[in-house]
């Protein structure tokens, strides 16, 4: 548990990282470093996107599964590690 | 016997009894049932019951008590006898009837049963003595369900003898009934009831005569005759005047609508989208025995989609064959698509559980690396000699005036761009700050894995040592951290089992760690060994002996050299144990060979007979020969076969030798560096160095040949890091990189596949530099080196 905390802290302190959010399978945030409204917004939107992405991947080959999703935008990048029970979402500004 | 007739529907008819047993109904609602008597039973007496229905209590019915027969006469207003004629005339001779009149309002039990019986319009309501009646009652009054009444009735019927002669008047009837009832009640328990079971006549309930007759039967003749007659008749009929066609009209009964109301049937629409993977999931989970899918998801099949998920075991064969047909993945509510993921899990996972789960840690790990890759991407790309991607959205920086080409492949000319070092990044974290980097080693199998040992060189300010395994993918935090009880002075990765890391420490302990596991403790430790080193271990090396001395020495062995003057070979035999390959004995400067047992010079008081060994290196091709450097400044060439004496001794240095290294390209050439500010290049058959290099007046801590070019080597002294290219110049280093002020550089490592150099310093940082615009030329330049050596030698002559 402590290692998890440490890793989270390290990630948070990396250059450009804006926030980390962990949402459970229903889209309810478990742990977050962003403010509430952003968290809720990210959680809801990303949840749908991941579902869609996962559906896409699995439709092509049902034995395949989505392991990582990364969105690169002009101002930031969103990295999502999906799992059966949760999503791990990190927002980073790479150009900082 | 007179049979009165009466109109049935006149309400004001007067009823008068008549002699005969007849019943007359008076009111419109009254109905008269004439009971048929079947007097063929054994019992001679026949009792007849007739019932009257009356909405209002109107019937009077009576007959004389004495006579069994009583008749009623109905008279209308005019006094006309309108008693209804009985439908059936019973046989007068055998009649003895008993009447029972019913009042609708009369609630005596017996009458009510009668009342009810008649409502069923059993035309064969006969009331008979004994068993027959009983059976009738049984059939007729089953639906009444008043057993007591029936019983009472039956009881009553049952003794016909006692009641036979009752022609009962109204009151009599009542009384009789009551009497009978009372009687029954009193005597019920004691009575021995006689039951007469008699076979009743066959009641024909339905008679459908056959249309066809067998040819052989008796009637056949007559039937045939009738048939022929009929056909003749039909023939005659057509034109005959005797027969006239006439139409008839049938009345259709009036239809009646009847309304029925029921509860509304609630209907619910259910729809589902079954995806490719959805079916695959159900198939897999059904195969494992989970069938709780249907409860959680309302999956009703859509008409155009024949995928079904109910009872997946049942329909799976069908659906699997349909997978090839297109499935429409519409943007239905995400809830539907989500449910397959929720379903297999037993319950909603606790947030705490999630955070502690293995997968979460793994994901964090990956995420961290990805984030770092984002940050370090240009650097790592440069390291790997990939073209760096320009971030298209970042502001374009001003192009420096100095032209420096970006491509890193080897160029033919050096030209205007000067070779330089570019600092890419450094491995450091808060754990390592303040520690002295004492040694570095690459993993033999995974060239991205670097082990760095932290420990002080000097005897003073010793603190617990640290070994960190860094991965290139995460420059900000080591993958493995091992703390050791004393400063780490030497490191090496094994080649055969790539996860074994040997660590030599300042207190003489040698430990091996398994970097694959997450354990913090060494696999094995030499602290229990009797022959362990008593002084700092300055170098450890895994050496693969191809030609073994004895059978058990084959394979890889760990060799270490320590300041107590021994070069030991360690092996695992009931614990870590070592044998000495060589004891480094002190030699005097003017001697080449040491004689056994000779005393040292008397003028010197030596602490020990051994010379502290500081470094060694095995010959790259011949693993029997190795070089050892001592604190005295001597280089001894030794063989594993002889552990008593040296093969050769090279003396040139005036101070402790910090590093000896064979050239990976020229097997005769080796380099040595020492604290006497010099680096010497030797050829093993010459006892004086071929070339000496000195750039600054600082002790050279480390020197290493470049793995790529034979003429290039790097050196680290206290204040700066140098790259020498002998092809370019033998007097000056080609590239010089000064250290940060206050920091001493302590170790050097070339990266094996790229043009990068790692430099460790006394502040705990391992900096990665890339050689830019640097090349020694095509190929490995072995020839060049030899040329240089040859020319130098020639010039010395």
């Amino acid at each position: 548990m402590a290692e998890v905390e440490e890793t989270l802290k390290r990630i948070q302190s990396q250059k450009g990282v804006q926030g980390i959010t962990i949402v459970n399978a229903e889209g309810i945030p478990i742990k977050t470093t962003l403010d509430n409204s952003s968290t809720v917004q990210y959680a809801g939107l990303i949840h749908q996107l991941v579902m869609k992405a996962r559906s896409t991947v699995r439709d092509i080959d049902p034995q395949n599964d989505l392991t990582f999703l990364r969105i690169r935008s002009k101002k930031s990048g969103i990295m999502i590690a999906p799992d059966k029970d949760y999503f791990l979402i990190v927002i980073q500004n790479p150009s900082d | 016997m007179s049979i009165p007739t009466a109109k049935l529907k006149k309400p004001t008819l007067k009823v008068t009894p008549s002699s005969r047993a007849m019943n007359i109904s008076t009111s419109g609602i009254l109905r008269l049932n004439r009971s048929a008597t079947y007097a063929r039973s054994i019992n001679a007496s026949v009792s007849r019951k007739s019932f009257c229905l009356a909405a209002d209590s109107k019937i009077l019915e009576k007959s004389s008590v004495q006579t069994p027969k009583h008749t009623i006469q109905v008279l209308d207003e005019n006094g006309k006898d309108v008693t209804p004629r009985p439908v059936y005339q019973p046989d007068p001779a055998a009649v003895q009837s008993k009447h029972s009149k019913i009042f609708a309002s009369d609630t005596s039990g017996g009458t009510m049963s009668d009342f009810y019986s008649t409502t069923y319009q059993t035309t064969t309501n006969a009331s008979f003595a004994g068993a027959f009646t009983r059976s009738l009652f049984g059939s007729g009054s089953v639906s009444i369900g008043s057993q007591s009444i029936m019983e009472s009735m039956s009881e009553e019927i049952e003794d016909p003898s006692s009641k036979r002669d009752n022609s009962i008047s109204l009151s009599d009837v009542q009384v009789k009934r009551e009497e009978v009832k009372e009687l029954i009640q009193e005597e019920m328990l004691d009575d021995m009831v006689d039951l007469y079971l008699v076979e009743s006549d066959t009641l024909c309930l339905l008679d459908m005569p056959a249309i066809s007759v067998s040819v052989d039967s008796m009637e056949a003749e007559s039937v045939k005759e009738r048939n022929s007659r009929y056909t003749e008749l039909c023939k005659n009929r057509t034109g005959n005047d005797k027969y006239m066609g006439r139409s008839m009209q049938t009345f259709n009964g009036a239809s009646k609508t009847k309304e029925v109301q029921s509860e509304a049937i609630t209907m619910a629409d259910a729809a589902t989208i079954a995806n490719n993977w959805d079916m695959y999931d159900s198939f897999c989970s059904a195969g494992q025995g989970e069938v709780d899918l249907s409860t959680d998801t309302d999956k009703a099949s859509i008409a155009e989609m024949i995928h079904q998920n109910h009872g997946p075991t049942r329909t799976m064969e069908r659906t699997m064959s349909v997978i090839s047909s297109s499935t429409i993945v519409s943007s239905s509510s995400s809830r539907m698509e989500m449910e397959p993921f929720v379903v297999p899990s037993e319950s909603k996972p606790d947030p705490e559980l999630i955070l502690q789960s293995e997968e979460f840690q793994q994901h964090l790990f990956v995420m961290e690396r990805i984030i770092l890759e984002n940050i370090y991407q240009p650097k790592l790309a440069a390291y790997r000699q990939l073209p760096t991607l320009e971030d298209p959205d970042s502001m374009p920086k001003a192009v420096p005036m100095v032209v420096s080409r970006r491509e890193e492949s080897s160029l033919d000319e050096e030209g205007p761009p000067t070779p330089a070092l570019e600092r890419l990044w450094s491995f450091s974290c808060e754990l390592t700050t303040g520690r002295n980097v004492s040694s570095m080693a690459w993993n033999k199998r995974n060239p991205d894995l670097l082990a760095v040992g932290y420990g002080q060189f000097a005897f003073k300010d010793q603190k617990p040592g640290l070994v960190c395994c860094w991965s290139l993918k995460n420059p900000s935090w080591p993958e493995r951290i091992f703390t050791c009880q004393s400063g780490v002075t030497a490191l090496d990765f094994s080649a055969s089992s790539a996860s074994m890391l040997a660590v030599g420490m300042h207190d003489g302990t040698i430990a091996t760690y398994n970097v694959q596991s997450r354990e913090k403790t060494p696999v094995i430790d030499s602290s229990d060994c009797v022959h362990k080193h008593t002084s700092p271990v300055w170098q450890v090396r895994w050496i693969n002996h191809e030609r073994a001395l004895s059978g058990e020495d084959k394979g890889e062995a760990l060799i270490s050299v320590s300041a107590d003057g021994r070069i030991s070979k360690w092996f695992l035999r009931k614990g870590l144990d070592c044998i000495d390959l060589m004891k480094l004995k002190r030699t005097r400067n003017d001697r080449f060979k040491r004689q056994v047992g000779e005393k040292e010079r008397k003028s010197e008081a030596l602490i020990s007979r051994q010379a502290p060994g500081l470094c060694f290196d095995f010959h790259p091709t011949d693993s029997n020969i190795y070089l050892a450097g001592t604190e005295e400044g001597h280089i001894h060439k030794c063989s594993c076969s002889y552990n008593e004496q040296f093969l050769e001794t090279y003396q040139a240095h005036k101070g402790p030798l910090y590093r000896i290294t064979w050239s990976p390209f020229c097997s005769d050439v080796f380099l040595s560096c020492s604290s006497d500010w010099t680096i010497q290049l030797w050829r093993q058959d010459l006892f004086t160095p071929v070339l000496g290099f000195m750039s600054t007046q600082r002790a050279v801590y480390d020197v290493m040949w470049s793995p790529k070019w034979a003429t290039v080597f790097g050196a680290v002294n206290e204040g700066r890091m140098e790259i020498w290219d002998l092809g370019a110049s033998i007097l000056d280093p080609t590239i010089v990189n000064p250290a940060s002020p206050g920091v001493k550089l302590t170790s050097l490592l070339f990266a094996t596949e790229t043009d990068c150099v790692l430099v460790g310093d006394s502040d705990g940082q391992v900096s990665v530099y890339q050689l830019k615009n640097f090349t020694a030329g095509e190929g490995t330049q072995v020839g060049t080196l030899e040329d240089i050596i040859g020319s130098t030698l020639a010039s010395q002559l």
Side-chain angles (χ1 to χ4, degrees):
Chain A
M1 191 62 197
E3 210 178 300
V4 164
E5 288 292 336
E6 258 187 48
T7 315
L8 278 173
K9 261 200 300 230
R10 280 208 308 273
I11 294 179
Q12 177 66 26
S13 61
Q14 292 294 344
K15 189 177 76 146
V17 171
Q18 282 183 340
I20 309 177
T21 303
I22 304 163
V23 248
N24 74 350
E26 276 112 23
I28 302 166
I30 302 175
K31 207 176 169 73
T32 178
T33 60
L34 296 167
D35 57 282
N36 198 26
S37 56
S38 304
T39 302
V40 168
Q41 196 178 27
Y42 269 108
L45 296 168
I46 285 176
H47 182 70
Q48 296 175 26
L49 181 67
V50 170
M51 284 304 150
K52 190 70 177 174
R54 186 179 257 153
S55 177
T56 307
V57 166
R58 294 203 74 201
D59 259 347
I60 296 168
D61 179 7
Q63 290 179 332
N64 207 353
D65 198 4
L66 186 66
T67 51
F68 201 83
L69 187 64
R70 189 183 207 168
I71 304 167
R72 188 73 206 277
S73 76
K74 271 201 212 166
K75 294 191 192 166
S76 68
I78 306 174
M79 285 159 288
I80 303 145
D83 187 76
K84 190 167 59 96
D85 304 326
Y86 61 88
F87 299 144
L88 172 66
I89 304 167
V90 176
I91 303 134
Q92 185 191 22
N93 259 347
S95 52
D96 278 351
Chain B
M1 181 168 92
S2 67
I3 300 168
T5 59
K7 282 195 199 153
L8 280 171
K9 302 263 181 199
K10 287 257 176 95
T12 58
L13 285 175
K14 183 163 59 155
V15 178
T16 60
S18 60
S19 60
R20 204 56 166 78
M22 275 192 225
N23 300 333
I24 300 160
S25 57
T26 54
S27 72
I29 316 167
L30 299 176
R31 195 172 304 144
L32 179 67
N33 276 347
R34 185 64 59 116
S35 52
T37 59
Y38 294 76
R40 288 180 284 249
S41 63
I42 301 170
N43 247 329
S45 71
V46 169
S47 61
R48 183 173 68 184
K49 286 216 168 87
S50 57
F51 316 103
C52 308
L53 287 174
D56 43 67
S57 59
K58 191 63 188 240
I59 298 205
L60 350 168
E61 173 71 27
K62 86 67 287 13
S63 52
S64 63
V65 179
Q66 297 310 336
T67 65
K69 328 166 177 121
H70 35 270
T71 57
I72 303 165
Q73 267 189 332
V74 179
L75 301 170
D76 63 3
E77 303 118 2
N78 303 330
K80 251 193 339 189
D81 188 359
V82 289
T83 52
R85 223 172 305 184
V87 171
Y88 174 74
Q89 296 285 352
D91 195 352
V95 164
Q96 211 164 29
S97 66
K98 183 172 69 164
H99 292 268
S100 63
K101 315 299 178 206
I102 307 167
F103 273 143
S105 60
D106 191 341
T107 57
S108 67
T111 57
M112 286 310 285
S113 77
D114 286 345
F115 176 84
Y116 282 127
S117 315
T118 45
T119 60
Y120 284 92
Q121 301 217 6
T122 55
T123 54
T124 57
N125 293 353
S127 49
F128 295 92
F132 188 53
T133 319
R134 180 184 281 261
S135 70
L136 257 192
F137 262 108
S139 63
S141 58
V142 159
S143 48
I144 297 172
S146 56
Q147 291 293 323
S148 60
I149 299 168
M150 195 170 83
E151 197 175 336
S152 69
M153 288 311 295
S154 325
E155 288 288 329
E156 171 204 354
I157 293 163
E158 205 206 328
D159 348 355
S161 52
S162 61
K163 296 183 177 67
R164 172 171 314 181
D165 292 332
N166 295 338
S167 43
I168 340 164
S169 67
L170 187 60
S171 51
D172 287 348
V173 171
Q174 286 178 347
V175 166
K176 226 11 166 198
R177 297 268 179 234
E178 283 159 15
E179 271 180 3
V180 164
K181 269 220 174 135
E182 281 177 35
L183 231 132
I184 293 172
Q185 284 155 14
E186 285 166 12
E187 299 169 347
M188 224 191 300
L189 294 174
D190 301 336
D191 252 351
M192 290 295 292
V193 175
D194 294 328
L195 300 175
Y196 298 95
L197 295 177
V198 170
E199 183 191 338
S200 59
D201 276 336
T202 307
L203 294 174
C204 194
L205 296 171
L206 175 69
D207 186 13
M208 277 174 53
I211 309 172
S212 56
V213 167
S214 167
V215 175
D216 299 333
S217 74
M218 299 178 308
E219 306 159 331
E221 282 304 317
S222 57
V223 166
K224 275 190 199 157
E225 201 191 314
R226 279 209 321 267
N227 285 354
S228 58
R229 263 193 281 140
Y230 184 70
T231 45
E232 254 192 62
L233 181 74
C234 289
K235 265 193 285 185
N236 291 338
R237 198 180 65 129
T238 46
N240 210 335
D241 284 336
K242 272 207 231 172
Y243 298 96
M244 205 167 67
R246 192 162 144 207
S247 54
M248 298 285 293
Q249 187 177 20
T250 59
F251 292 106
N252 294 330
S255 63
K256 177 179 172 182
T257 55
K258 183 154 176 148
E259 288 167 5
V260 174
Q261 190 170 22
S262 71
E263 286 200 4
I265 303 169
T266 50
M267 291 193 269
D269 285 333
T272 186
I273 308 278
N275 296 316
N276 219 358
W277 44 264
D278 204 352
M279 291 187 282
Y280 177 81
D281 276 347
S282 318
F283 186 64
C284 289
S285 63
Q288 294 158 13
E290 293 174 47
V291 210
D292 56 347
L293 291 176
S294 54
T295 58
D296 287 329
T297 60
D298 47 343
K299 294 190 187 270
S301 58
I302 307 175
E304 59 271 20
M305 293 194 187
I306 47 179
H307 317 293
Q308 290 220 21
N309 273 332
H310 295 294
T313 54
R314 209 176 52 232
T315 58
M316 258 316 127
E317 295 75 27
R318 193 148 54 93
T319 55
M320 287 305 280
S321 64
V322 172
I323 281 178
S324 56
S325 71
S326 63
T327 65
I328 304 167
V329 179
S330 69
S331 57
S332 64
S333 70
S334 62
R335 192 188 76 90
M336 292 302 282
E337 291 170 45
M338 225 197 63
E339 284 184 57
F341 299 105
V342 176
V343 160
S345 68
E346 314 78 36
S347 63
K348 200 161 58 117
D350 209 11
E352 283 305 309
L353 283 176
I354 292 178
L355 292 177
Q356 287 168 11
S357 66
E358 275 291 317
E359 297 120 356
F360 187 67
Q361 288 181 3
Q362 185 63 28
H363 276 134
L364 272 182
F365 179 70
V366 171
M367 182 68 80
E368 192 183 356
R369 284 200 172 180
I370 288 178
I371 292 170
L372 285 161
E373 185 202 333
N374 273 344
I375 299 172
Y376 286 105
Q377 196 270 340
K379 308 288 176 31
L380 288 172
Y383 179 86
R384 302 227 191 256
Q385 300 178 304
L386 296 169
T388 56
L389 299 169
E390 277 292 333
D391 193 356
D393 300 312
S394 69
M395 301 297 295
K397 299 188 179 69
V399 180
M401 292 309 293
V402 176
V403 175
S404 57
R405 293 183 213 131
R406 304 293 276 165
E407 57 268 10
E408 308 305 333
S409 58
S410 61
L411 304 169
D412 282 351
E413 85 271 331
E414 299 196 20
T418 53
L421 286 176
E422 183 184 341
R423 187 170 185 276
L424 294 178
W425 73 85
S426 75
F427 290 107
S428 72
C429 65
E430 73 259 10
L431 283 180
T432 65
T433 49
R435 293 177 184 269
N436 182 38
V437 175
S438 59
S439 52
M440 299 187 285
W442 288 108
N443 189 309
K444 303 284 194 307
R445 194 185 300 169
N446 181 3
D448 284 347
L449 210 56
L450 176 73
V452 178
Y454 301 87
Q456 307 298 111
F457 286 142
F459 184 73
K460 59 182 167 79
D461 52 57
Q462 280 292 316
K463 48 185 170 186
L466 190 67
V467 176
C468 289
C469 290
W470 296 87
S471 163
L472 228 63
K473 296 173 188 164
N474 188 348
S476 70
W477 190 258
E479 305 296 318
R480 298 280 188 273
I481 302 169
F482 304 110
T483 42
C484 316
Q485 67 257 39
S486 74
V488 174
T489 49
L491 276 184
D492 197 27
F493 267 109
S494 161
S496 59
S497 52
S499 60
M500 295 295 280
L501 177 67
V503 175
M505 285 180 248
H506 201 273
D507 62 356
T509 320
I510 293 180
T512 54
Y513 288 88
N514 184 5
V515 299
Q516 267 182 342
S517 75
R518 294 229 160 230
E519 288 195 13
K520 305 287 189 167
T521 54
V523 172
I524 195 141
D525 205 337
S526 80
S527 31
D528 299 329
C529 172
V530 177
H531 301 295
K532 68 178 180 184
H533 289 298
T534 49
S535 305
V537 177
W538 289 114
Q539 192 157 357
V540 293
R541 193 58 62 88
W542 292 92
I543 300 295
N544 205 358
H545 291 282
E546 293 106 11
R547 296 179 304 157
L549 301 168
S550 55
E552 66 197 20
D553 289 339
K554 261 220 194 298
E556 225 184 11
L558 180 64
I559 317 275
S560 70
V561 69
S562 125
D564 60 1
R566 287 165 35 211
I567 298 179
S568 321
K569 178 164 129 179
W570 296 82
F571 47 85
L572 210 58
R573 185 193 292 169
K574 284 192 286 186
L576 199 59
D577 203 4
C578 68
I579 59 170
D580 284 343
L581 285 182
M582 177 62 64
K583 290 189 173 51
L584 298 169
K585 303 177 180 77
R586 290 186 177 273
T587 59
R588 287 165 31 159
N589 279 342
D590 48 3
R591 281 187 192 254
F592 291 122
K593 290 211 180 135
R594 171 87 168 88
Q595 287 151 20
V596 177
E598 191 176 286
K599 281 199 327 189
E600 295 80 24
R601 290 197 307 208
K602 299 178 183 63
S603 57
E604 288 182 14
L606 299 166
I607 296 171
S608 81
R609 282 173 166 230
Q610 323 282 38
L614 291 179
C615 52
F616 71 97
D617 195 14
F618 272 74
H619 196 274
T621 48
D622 183 3
S623 62
N624 241 348
I625 311 287
Y626 59 96
L627 293 169
T630 67
E631 202 181 15
E632 296 172 328
H634 301 313
I635 304 172
H636 303 291
K637 181 158 94 171
C638 323
S639 164
C640 295
S641 331
Y642 306 103
N643 58 358
E644 290 294 325
Q645 51 191 2
F646 314 125
L647 295 178
E648 307 281 347
T649 305
Y650 306 90
Q651 299 177 17
H653 282 287
K654 299 174 185 59
L657 286 177
Y658 286 130
R659 185 70 69 188
I660 290 187
T661 162
W662 287 96
S663 167
F665 297 103
C666 297
S667 55
D668 292 337
V669 178
F670 60 92
L671 268 181
S672 64
C673 74
S674 92
S675 68
D676 65 352
W677 313 332
T678 61
I679 305 167
Q680 307 286 346
L681 177 78
W682 302 78
R683 213 169 70 176
Q684 70 169 337
D685 51 347
L686 301 172
F687 295 108
T688 56
V690 175
L691 281 169
F693 312 100
M694 186 172 98
S695 60
T696 56
Q697 292 169 352
R698 301 254 180 167
V700 183
Y701 280 127
D702 205 349
V703 69
M704 183 169 174
W705 287 100
S706 161
K708 206 163 163 188
W709 295 289
T711 54
V712 177
F713 63 89
V716 141
N717 58 30
E718 280 181 17
R720 59 194 209 173
M721 188 261 285
E722 299 162 357
I723 306 286
W724 292 76
D725 181 6
L726 297 179
S729 157
I730 59 173
L731 296 176
D732 288 317
T734 315
I735 305 175
V736 171
N737 192 44
S740 325
V743 170
K744 286 197 278 189
L745 305 176
T746 52
S747 52
L748 179 84
L749 193 65
F750 270 92
T752 41
E753 281 152 23
T754 76
D755 287 342
C756 291
V757 181
L758 278 73
V759 176
D761 61 20
S762 63
D763 199 27
Q765 285 204 9
V766 176
S767 312
V768 180
Y769 293 92
Q770 189 184 29
L771 299 170
K772 305 267 307 263
N773 309 311
F774 180 85
T775 178
E778 297 282 331
T780 57
Q781 304 290 314
V782 175
T784 315
L785 180 65
E786 287 177 353
D787 288 343
I788 293 168
I789 294 174
S791 61
T792 313
L793 288 174
S795 66
Q796 284 175 358
L797 288 173

